[in-house]
Amino acid sequence: MSAEKANVKKNKAFTMSSLMRNQIFIPIAALLLLLLFNLIADPGFFKITLGYNSAGNPVLSGYLMTVLDNGSELAILAIGMTLVTAASGGQDISVGAAIAIAGSTLLRALCGTNTRPEVLRMPVICAFLISCLVAMAFGAFNGLLVSIFKIQPMIATLILYTAGRSIAAWINNNELPIISDPKFAYYGGFIPGIPIPTPFFIMAACVIVTMLVLKFTNLGLYTQAVGINESSSRLNGLNPVFIKWLTFVILGLCVAVAALIKVSRLSSINYSVIAKDIEMDAILAVALGGNALSGGKFNMVASIIGAFVIQLLTTTLFKFNVPSDALPAYKAIVVIMLVVFSAPIVRSKLAEISKKMKNPTVKEVA
Amino acid sequence: MGNQALLSLKGIYKGFPGVKALQNVDFQLQSGEIHALMGENGAGKSTLIKVLTGVYTKDEGEIFLEGQEVSIRSPQDAQHLGISTVYQEITLCPNLSVAENMYIGRSDDMLQNWKKMNEGATKMLESLDIPAKATQQLGSCSIAVQQMVAIARAVDMDCKVLILDEPTSSLDDQEVQKLFKLMKELRGRGVGIIFVTHFLDQVYEVCDKITVLRDGKLVGEYEIKELPRLQLVSKMLGKELDDLSDIKSSDASGETAKQGEVLFEAEGLSSTEGIKPFDFYIRKGEVNGFTGLLGSGRSECVRAIFGADRVVSGSMKKNGKTIKINKPIDAMKNGIGYLPEDRKIDGIIGDLSVRENIILALQVMKGFFKPFTKAQANAFADEYIKTLSIKTASADTPIKSLSGGNQQKCILARWLLTHPDYLILDEPTRGIDVGTKVDIQKLVLKLASEGMSVTFISSETDEMLRTCSRMIVMRDRKVVGELTGEDLTQNKIMSTIAGGEAKS
Amino acid sequence: MEKVSTKLKNMTDTNLLLTITIVVFILMYIGAVLFQGKGFTKPQAFFNILNNNAALIILSCGMSIVMITGGIDISVGGVTALVSMCCAVYLDYHNGNVAVSMLIALLIGLAYGLVQGFLVAYLDIQPFIVSLAGMFFARGMTTIVNTNPFNVENADFVALKETRIIIPGMGSVNKLGKYVDAYVEIGVVIALIVVIAMFILLRWTKLGRSFYAVGGNKQSALMLGINVKRTKFLSHMICSTLAGIGGYVYFLHVGSGAATHAQGAEMNAIASSIIGGTMLTGGVGNIIGTFFGVLSLSTIKDIVSSAGLDQAWWTGITIAAMLCIFLVIQSVVMARKKRAIRK
């Protein structure tokens, strides 16, 4: 007991350095840095105004709202991606293509073969469930390749990455259905009377469910155990094949939710553009969260914060009138800077230097 | 000052965050001697060797080779200076050929001369009697052969200093003898050999001098004749050892077990790993063991019982009732625990904490939807950290930062926590320090006296003689005999393994 | 069966996968001839595969080397686009010299290799993340250099682009009854030189063998006295430099600069390497296999488009299906082999 107390004291003494070592430090530091940058560059970034949109609904707008709004899909994907990364030690690069498939399925279910339907063929919730099933089936396919055939996740999902958008186009015969029902737009826009964008609520619900699942089941322990040492997990009675497969199916579910939001935003779909490059953002979110991309231990909260950091970066760049085509170049520089500063080698070097700066005399005396 | 030391280390310091691994260590090696470096796990042997081979850089101190001060910053530096090393874990590339593994990284030539290399390798393999082809892919050789290739590489490099870091743990007796012959030959040529091992017998068989380390500090350097075994152990442990033979007294428990009812039995069991169908039983409170040379199939037998490998035939009964074990969880639900042979690959989950490692098996048995609360998990972990006296900073420490012996204790705790009535221990004492070895043997006997059945497998026969009341002997993946009572002697075991009993 | 399994056992992983690749390619080409008619029997059909894929062959060679070393580089497509755009702008807007434009291509490649190699090897950052950022950067930079796509009209360059190397004796008679010589473009010659050079590098130099060693087991390679960091660094250097050269060959083939050039080329290069028997786990692979991997990939594409399945999605789906089949074959064969060894 007393040893524990002593430990606590010791920890307190090194709050700063232990904070530095904490995983969540990386995304939060990045978040604060970006916010600080915006504060200095233009405090207007933080302004949030209450206005009314074309439908006459009260709507909160401002850059921060944009981040919360647009970051939602990314955060939802980051949840699934974190689990996949932890259990399989690899990433799913097909999530963008899978969103196209899930979105296409959703529209097909709602519209049938009629591309401009007056009335929807079924309630949105039913169509959503169907698209969930389809997305989870594709997740299961990826999972199968990874878990049973032991193909590296990035390569296994390369298959769906290549074929996904084609499959999405094929589902709707390459037509682009448009839904005119304003209710369908609620999921990606605003519900009348509520000034906060709906995606934010969907995201919050997903995060809460995830946290509950992590608390009341062993999903976290099992995925980490399998990710760290598969063979030993098996000898402890776990079924690594199933657990890896399961994480891909969960990611499939996340994909379906993200697809609902994405499709609802436009009330339509563009197979080659929808959720383009989102897989890269989702992977970056996991990496920014300080999670090893080689699998094992993970921190879900850090990943979710990571997702919002990525979105904040995107929004910041847009605000400075960076054309959307050139956006990746700036993003790349920021990303590289972040990974360089969070690289263990660089960190330990920096720590050494700061130590030397603090007491430069020690070395000379010795 | 005619006999200048070949290699001498003076005042070596090396620290890691939170640990002082080496403090003011001196070490001297003459040419033409075999020098044992002894110490418990965590004593600093591996660190010292890694400093010497350039894997770690020392914080302070000086290294002299033939009187010249040298600085070793990378394994290449060490190689160029004539220091070669063979590690316990195979440090070769499985995807390259045997010959390549022997020659890669040794010269600065730009081009690769396959013909010359294969010829040289073939000659070397022949002279050392290693059953491998030069062009064969290394990954397709057995572990023992791979280890021999690593040694062949080191020998071929005309080194001045040869470091052998527990090279014998995956070799069988014959191979060990071959290695010893080689070591003596090299000694004759004036090579200085540093030999690290956990097997005391081997130290007394080949070594000339012993240097003992403890807690990162030098205890002393001794001539082999001046330091009898018991004193060596007490120097390593830093205390007068309660004699190793002490625990033998509890042999009686084995006798009582003979009358116990049969707890578990298997008939005609065989698995995909190619063991011949075998029968097996264990009584309540009995300690039995599988013995045989490395690769004789002793691990595969217990893996089949636990469902770790796919069982292809046979039936199993527990307490008289037929049970089916297809995968580890089935065995666990039937009250069987299994501590695997390879701690690093099959045992620990490196990045997880000590606590999570301890509760894992019980947690899996309890179910996916019923996680332990943090308080429960802590209580379990603290209980076993205390009862097995696991040395760890806290239950939150990642298990990989513990020493080998303490890691093994955690795995043991994991299975004890599930309260099995049949526990299988496959090489629980491999690669761990003497003190923990004794602890584990004592624990096994204690558990048996409390009514648990234990199967104990070890490469060290005397360990098994001390703990087991019945031994099943294996050869070439087949059960070839069973020894009990008075037959349990070193000689009898050896002759059964060798196949002598068939004639007599 | 027994014989087959012992043969499997004795083959190195690299040779085993190479054999599979070549067999599959030959079967596929025969299939193409059988089902798609005579078009494929003309030598020019084969040379056209080379003409269209010279750049991909070069990119795939670099990719294989990085993958053998245990890394990955997904920036090669972006680098190709960047090289095309920079050279195009230089040649047309600045009235540049062709030789200098080549130098520019090479320098872009070298610079990429330097930065990415340093980050991966010396700062120990995951290659996937580094080259992902590299890809973003290249694509973004391409639009910053010039937003709109355009054709290059520089006379020297067009002359070089139109240069055809006639292959004697391989020509065929066209529909009008006229004899047409078979030809390859300059890019093909460069690609073949690269293939041969990389083959020699991997097979007969110490550096090449170090790539395999590091990919097989990094820790062991270090203990065997190989400079792991330098080896990793050089693998990225070679890959990016080849991306620069490949980028120029691509530019020479299409003759224009555009931000959308070589879209998905990194995926094609990875797919070719895998079909060619390079394992992503590192340590196993062969340049000859990669060469056949590119040919297999493009043969499939040709079969699909000549089968009248013009809709763009069929190409994507078939390539994906093929990649899937190859990955499964690889994984099954390797698992079998492992089992054979244990017995």
Side-chain angles (χ1 to χ4, degrees):
Chain A
M1 256 304 139
S2 64
E4 219 167 75
K5 262 182 199 158
N7 248 348
V8 171
K9 254 185 204 162
K10 226 188 208 171
N11 281 347
K12 274 206 180 129
F14 295 111
T15 334
M16 197 52 213
S17 68
S18 67
L19 189 76
M20 290 272 283
R21 246 175 276 136
N22 195 328
Q23 204 185 327
I24 219 159
F25 169 79
I26 305 166
I28 287 189
L31 190 70
L32 292 179
L33 215 64
L34 270 173
L35 288 176
L36 190 71
F37 172 77
N38 276 307
L39 188 68
I40 295 166
D42 177 13
F45 188 85
F46 294 90
K47 212 166 86 183
I48 293 175
T49 50
L50 184 65
Y52 291 89
N53 66 2
S54 51
N57 294 323
V59 161
L60 284 175
S61 61
Y63 288 106
L64 285 182
M65 291 317 289
T66 315
V67 172
L68 283 184
D69 187 3
N70 290 333
S72 300
E73 294 103 305
L74 200 55
I76 292 167
L77 287 179
I79 294 170
M81 193 66 88
T82 307
L83 290 175
V84 164
T85 302
S88 70
Q91 288 74 40
D92 184 341
I93 59 169
S94 71
V95 287
I99 284 178
I101 294 176
S104 187
T105 312
L106 189 70
L107 288 177
R108 172 78 197 214
L110 288 172
C111 308
T113 47
N114 183 356
T115 53
R116 301 282 183 281
E118 296 293 309
V119 281
L120 299 177
R121 279 171 72 225
M122 58 174 82
V124 174
I125 184 76
C126 292
F128 173 63
L129 286 178
I130 293 174
S131 94
C132 279
L133 285 180
V134 170
M136 281 158 81
F138 277 101
F141 170 73
N142 282 337
L144 196 77
L145 291 178
V146 172
S147 61
I148 294 192
F149 291 105
K150 314 249 179 267
I151 300 170
Q152 299 93 323
M154 260 196 51
I155 296 308
T157 52
L158 179 65
I159 294 169
L160 194 58
Y161 174 91
T162 321
R165 291 177 192 277
S166 302
I167 295 172
W170 170 73
I171 288 173
N172 267 314
N173 275 325
N174 217 4
E175 304 282 348
L176 302 174
I178 294 171
I179 291 175
S180 44
D181 188 343
K183 281 205 188 94
F184 183 69
Y186 289 172
Y187 303 96
F190 294 86
I191 296 171
I194 300 173
I196 296 170
T198 325
F200 177 73
F201 291 112
I202 299 178
M203 185 275 300
C206 287
V207 170
I208 290 169
V209 168
T210 312
M211 290 304 156
L212 289 178
V213 167
L214 286 178
K215 186 154 171 56
F216 290 105
T217 73
N218 283 311
L219 187 67
L221 180 65
Y222 287 12
T223 45
Q224 295 184 50
V226 168
I228 298 166
N229 188 336
E230 187 173 338
S231 158
S232 145
S233 306
R234 202 175 73 83
L235 290 178
N236 279 295
L238 293 175
N239 184 345
V241 171
F242 176 75
I243 289 167
K244 278 192 202 172
W245 181 81
L246 183 69
T247 57
F248 277 91
V249 175
I250 293 175
L251 178 58
L253 189 61
C254 297
V255 161
V257 178
L260 174 69
I261 300 175
K262 279 270 184 227
V263 172
S264 168
R265 279 188 205 282
L266 295 175
S267 286
S268 181
I269 193 166
N270 181 335
Y271 303 115
S272 55
V273 173
I274 186 173
K276 191 164 173 285
D277 291 343
I278 204 168
E279 53 275 347
M280 307 305 177
D281 282 355
I283 296 166
L284 284 177
V286 175
L288 258 179
N291 300 299
L293 291 182
S294 48
K297 281 193 88 80
F298 71 82
N299 185 331
M300 189 59 83
V301 178
S303 284
I304 293 168
I305 298 174
F308 283 105
V309 174
I310 299 282
Q311 188 57 46
L312 181 63
L313 175 62
T314 312
T315 310
T316 308
L317 290 172
F318 269 131
K319 180 172 172 289
F320 286 95
N321 288 327
V322 173
S324 73
D325 279 339
L327 196 77
Y330 295 91
K331 225 174 185 173
I333 294 172
V334 178
V335 165
I336 283 292
M337 267 163 40
L338 285 173
V339 280
V340 165
F341 280 112
S342 62
I345 292 180
V346 179
R347 276 183 165 210
S348 64
K349 278 264 156 65
L350 285 179
E352 240 170 64
I353 291 170
S354 77
K355 216 186 237 171
K356 265 183 208 160
M357 299 251 280
K358 263 182 204 160
N359 36 10
T361 47
V362 174
K363 206 66 211 197
E364 279 157 36
V365 172
Chain B
M1 198 59 205
N3 57 342
Q4 186 189 41
L6 172 63
L7 176 77
S8 91
L9 279 64
K10 291 208 176 99
I12 302 289
Y13 283 85
K14 173 72 194 172
F16 299 106
V19 195
K20 283 180 187 155
L22 291 175
Q23 296 175 62
N24 196 16
V25 172
D26 297 341
F27 180 79
Q28 300 257 333
L29 179 72
Q30 308 294 330
S31 61
E33 76 172 4
I34 301 177
H35 197 133
L37 186 59
M38 302 293 290
E40 281 200 281
N41 265 49
K45 289 171 306 193
S46 313
T47 315
L48 187 66
I49 282 174
K50 285 188 172 153
V51 164
L52 202 47
T53 53
V55 179
Y56 297 152
T57 42
K58 58 186 191 294
D59 295 342
E60 267 171 64
E62 294 158 314
I63 301 176
F64 296 92
L65 190 69
E66 294 176 320
Q68 299 279 316
E69 179 164 11
V70 291
S71 80
I72 303 172
R73 271 186 240 96
S74 69
Q76 289 106 294
D77 286 355
Q79 274 188 18
H80 287 310
L81 291 167
I83 302 174
S84 345
T85 317
V86 175
Y87 295 92
Q88 177 182 13
E89 286 93 19
I90 308 279
T91 51
L92 300 175
C93 294
N95 58 325
L96 301 182
S97 76
V98 169
E100 281 194 273
N101 269 298
M102 287 168 65
Y103 287 95
I104 200 164
R106 280 172 50 182
S107 74
D108 289 330
D109 295 353
M110 287 288 286
L111 297 178
Q112 172 101 325
N113 187 339
W114 287 89
K115 200 165 155 242
K116 198 173 127 202
M117 187 178 81
N118 284 336
E119 275 168 8
T122 308
K123 218 180 278 167
M124 196 71 202
L125 291 171
E126 268 167 18
S127 75
L128 295 183
D129 223 358
I130 300 171
K133 271 189 270 176
T135 51
Q136 194 179 1
Q137 192 175 340
L138 186 84
S140 65
C141 303
S142 71
I143 297 290
V145 170
Q146 294 189 21
Q147 188 69 276
M148 296 297 283
V149 171
I151 293 166
R153 175 187 162 94
V155 169
D156 193 46
M157 282 167 67
D158 281 331
C159 48
K160 296 175 198 144
V161 177
L162 176 62
I163 303 170
L164 300 170
D165 187 0
E166 299 205 39
T168 53
S169 54
S170 61
L171 303 185
D172 65 29
D173 284 349
Q174 260 182 326
E175 286 160 336
V176 169
Q177 286 311 319
K178 223 185 268 172
L179 173 66
F180 284 174
K181 208 180 115 212
L182 191 70
M183 283 166 70
K184 286 171 188 162
E185 205 182 301
L186 291 172
R187 172 172 62 186
R189 281 195 233 157
V191 176
I193 299 176
I194 303 175
F195 185 46
V196 180
T197 180
H198 275 108
F199 300 103
L200 298 184
D201 290 345
Q202 297 180 353
V203 172
Y204 285 92
E205 199 175 332
V206 288
C207 295
D208 306 313
K209 268 191 204 154
I210 303 179
T211 291
V212 180
L213 295 181
R214 189 172 67 233
D215 298 331
K217 288 177 198 139
L218 179 71
V219 176
E221 187 194 279
Y222 311 91
E223 290 286 332
I224 196 96
K225 284 164 245 150
E226 294 163 4
L227 192 70
R229 217 171 261 242
L230 223 53
Q231 273 191 39
L232 168 62
V233 174
S234 81
K235 292 244 191 287
M236 284 162 64
L237 294 180
K239 58 185 175 206
E240 290 306 314
L241 187 74
D242 49 331
D243 190 355
L244 279 168
S245 55
D246 255 13
I247 55 171
K248 214 171 187 173
S249 58
S250 42
D251 236 6
S253 71
E255 296 299 316
T256 50
K258 265 192 185 153
Q259 280 86 42
E261 72 223 65
V262 172
L263 178 87
F264 173 88
E265 59 185 317
E267 222 177 299
L269 209 58
S270 71
S271 76
T272 49
E273 294 303 294
I275 36 164
K276 305 277 173 348
F278 69 100
D279 299 341
F280 173 81
Y281 71 91
I282 189 163
R283 294 178 193 277
K284 201 167 177 339
E286 184 186 1
V287 182
N288 69 5
F290 284 89
T291 183
L293 299 178
L294 198 94
S296 61
R298 35 177 216 223
S299 292
E300 285 77 2
C301 281
V302 289
R303 284 178 72 92
I305 292 172
F306 190 67
D309 298 329
R310 206 151 56 84
V311 175
V312 288
S313 76
S315 63
M316 289 180 247
K317 274 188 197 164
K318 176 127 183 283
N319 291 324
K321 267 185 283 177
T322 306
I323 54 170
K324 270 203 101 59
I325 295 178
N326 293 322
K327 44 188 188 299
I329 187 80
D330 300 338
M332 287 158 66
K333 287 199 171 133
N334 279 301
I336 302 175
Y338 168 61
L339 184 137
E341 181 185 10
D342 193 318
R343 184 179 64 237
K344 271 192 195 136
I345 294 175
D346 290 333
I348 62 165
I349 298 188
D351 289 320
L352 289 187
S353 66
V354 168
R355 176 181 49 240
E356 286 164 313
N357 267 288
I358 289 178
I359 64 158
L360 186 63
L362 188 62
Q363 178 70 78
V364 171
M365 284 171 75
K366 199 176 170 218
F368 182 76
F369 293 103
K370 292 172 191 153
F372 287 120
T373 62
K374 194 137 197 196
Q376 278 171 317
N378 267 330
F380 285 137
D382 289 342
E383 182 193 335
Y384 279 93
I385 288 174
K386 218 168 125 198
T387 50
L388 298 182
S389 51
I390 298 170
K391 275 185 210 135
T392 170
S394 80
D396 279 319
T397 315
I399 194 168
K400 64 178 177 190
S401 57
L402 269 56
S403 73
N406 283 310
Q407 288 180 3
Q408 195 66 292
K409 282 179 174 175
C410 290
I411 309 300
L412 205 55
R414 175 193 290 171
W415 291 110
L416 293 180
L417 185 59
T418 64
H419 297 291
D421 35 35
Y422 175 30
L423 185 60
I424 302 166
L425 302 174
D426 193 352
E427 298 266 17
T429 57
R430 179 201 273 189
I432 62 177
D433 51 274
V434 177
T436 315
K437 274 183 184 179
V438 176
D439 287 351
I440 288 179
Q441 289 166 38
K442 279 182 181 163
L443 183 72
V444 165
L445 291 170
K446 182 168 152 270
L447 290 171
S449 69
E450 288 164 10
M452 193 187 286
S453 309
V454 181
T455 293
F456 187 93
I457 298 178
S458 169
S459 295
E460 294 176 55
T461 323
D462 52 331
E463 244 180 50
M464 295 189 70
L465 285 172
R466 245 177 267 136
T467 46
C468 300
S469 61
R470 182 161 63 91
M471 273 159 81
I472 295 150
V473 185
M474 299 206 61
R475 182 183 348 124
D476 298 334
R477 314 211 150 216
K478 214 160 65 184
V479 174
V480 292
E482 194 177 301
L483 302 172
T484 48
E486 285 172 6
D487 282 345
L488 282 180
T489 60
Q490 195 94 26
N491 284 341
K492 187 76 190 167
I493 292 170
M494 294 311 271
S495 68
T496 315
I497 288 175
E501 102 284 358
K503 282 170 213 151
S504 65
Chain C
M1 204 57 216
E2 195 85 329
K3 257 188 189 167
V4 172
S5 78
T6 47
K7 270 204 179 145
L8 275 183
K9 211 169 111 178
N10 292 335
M11 235 174 182
T12 62
D13 296 345
T14 301
N15 291 344
L16 178 68
L17 292 174
L18 176 65
T19 315
I20 294 176
T21 309
I22 294 179
V23 167
V24 166
F25 170 70
I26 292 171
L27 287 180
M28 210 154 58
Y29 206 84
I30 293 173
V33 171
L34 288 182
F35 294 111
Q36 299 303 325
K38 299 250 172 69
F40 281 93
T41 53
K42 285 185 190 160
Q44 188 59 46
F46 180 75
F47 292 132
N48 277 343
I49 292 179
L50 291 180
N51 286 337
N52 294 333
N53 292 290
L56 184 58
I57 291 171
I58 299 174
L59 296 184
S60 301
C61 285
M63 186 67 78
S64 295
I65 286 176
V66 172
M67 279 166 68
I68 286 169
T69 319
I72 191 131
D73 184 348
I74 57 172
S75 71
V76 293
V79 173
T80 301
L82 184 61
V83 164
S84 301
M85 186 59 93
C86 289
C87 291
V89 167
Y90 170 73
L91 284 174
D92 264 20
Y93 294 2
H94 302 280
N95 222 353
N97 170 313
V98 173
V100 177
S101 75
M102 288 177 186
L103 204 64
I104 290 176
L106 211 56
L107 282 179
I108 291 175
L110 279 170
Y112 249 85
L114 213 62
V115 174
Q116 294 194 0
F118 175 75
L119 293 176
V120 171
Y122 293 99
L123 296 189
D124 213 13
I125 304 172
Q126 280 130 330
F128 182 75
I129 289 297
V130 169
S131 58
L132 182 72
M135 177 177 93
F136 274 149
F137 184 76
R139 292 271 174 214
M141 274 315 278
T142 310
T143 48
I144 291 173
V145 171
N146 194 352
T147 322
N148 301 317
F150 67 97
N151 283 325
V152 176
E153 275 145 19
N154 182 305
D156 290 346
F157 176 76
V158 173
L160 191 67
K161 173 175 155 45
E162 297 297 328
T163 308
R164 290 177 170 188
I165 295 160
I166 308 292
I167 314 258
M170 292 290 227
S172 53
V173 179
N174 72 2
K175 277 177 197 156
L176 299 171
K178 208 176 139 198
Y179 184 85
V180 182
D181 275 321
Y183 70 93
V184 292
E185 291 172 9
I186 289 186
V188 176
V189 179
I190 299 175
L192 291 180
I193 292 172
V194 167
V195 168
I196 293 166
M198 291 304 122
F199 178 76
I200 291 172
L201 174 81
L202 283 181
R203 180 85 188 143
W204 280 297
T205 67
K206 290 271 143 87
L207 179 63
R209 301 320 290 173
S210 314
F211 289 150
Y212 283 94
V214 171
N217 188 331
K218 219 166 43 176
Q219 203 56 37
S220 295
L222 181 73
M223 299 294 193
L224 289 174
I226 291 169
N227 190 334
V228 173
K229 286 181 178 173
R230 205 190 60 176
T231 308
K232 273 195 191 170
F233 176 74
L234 286 176
S235 77
H236 279 273
M237 270 314 268
I238 291 175
C239 179
S240 293
T241 309
L242 287 183
I245 297 173
Y248 198 81
V249 168
Y250 184 94
F251 176 53
L252 204 55
H253 183 66
V254 295
S256 63
T260 54
H261 268 352
Q263 197 79 274
E266 57 279 341
M267 294 306 167
N268 282 334
I270 295 172
S272 302
S273 290
I274 287 171
I275 292 172
T278 307
M279 303 268 292
L280 224 138
T281 38
V284 178
N286 189 312
I287 289 297
I288 303 297
T290 303
F291 178 68
F292 279 100
V294 177
L295 296 187
S296 302
L297 195 73
S298 45
T299 308
I300 273 284
K301 271 192 203 163
D302 284 358
I303 293 176
V304 170
S305 59
S306 68
L309 298 168
D310 275 345
Q311 280 119 323
W313 66 68
W314 279 110
T315 325
I317 291 174
T318 26
I319 291 177
M322 188 165 149
L323 189 58
C324 179
I325 291 166
F326 261 90
L327 286 171
V328 170
I329 291 177
Q330 261 191 19
S331 109
V332 170
V333 169
M334 293 316 265
R336 278 238 162 150
K337 201 183 144 179
K338 247 178 220 158
R339 215 170 293 152
I341 286 166
R342 251 190 272 158
K343 280 183 183 162

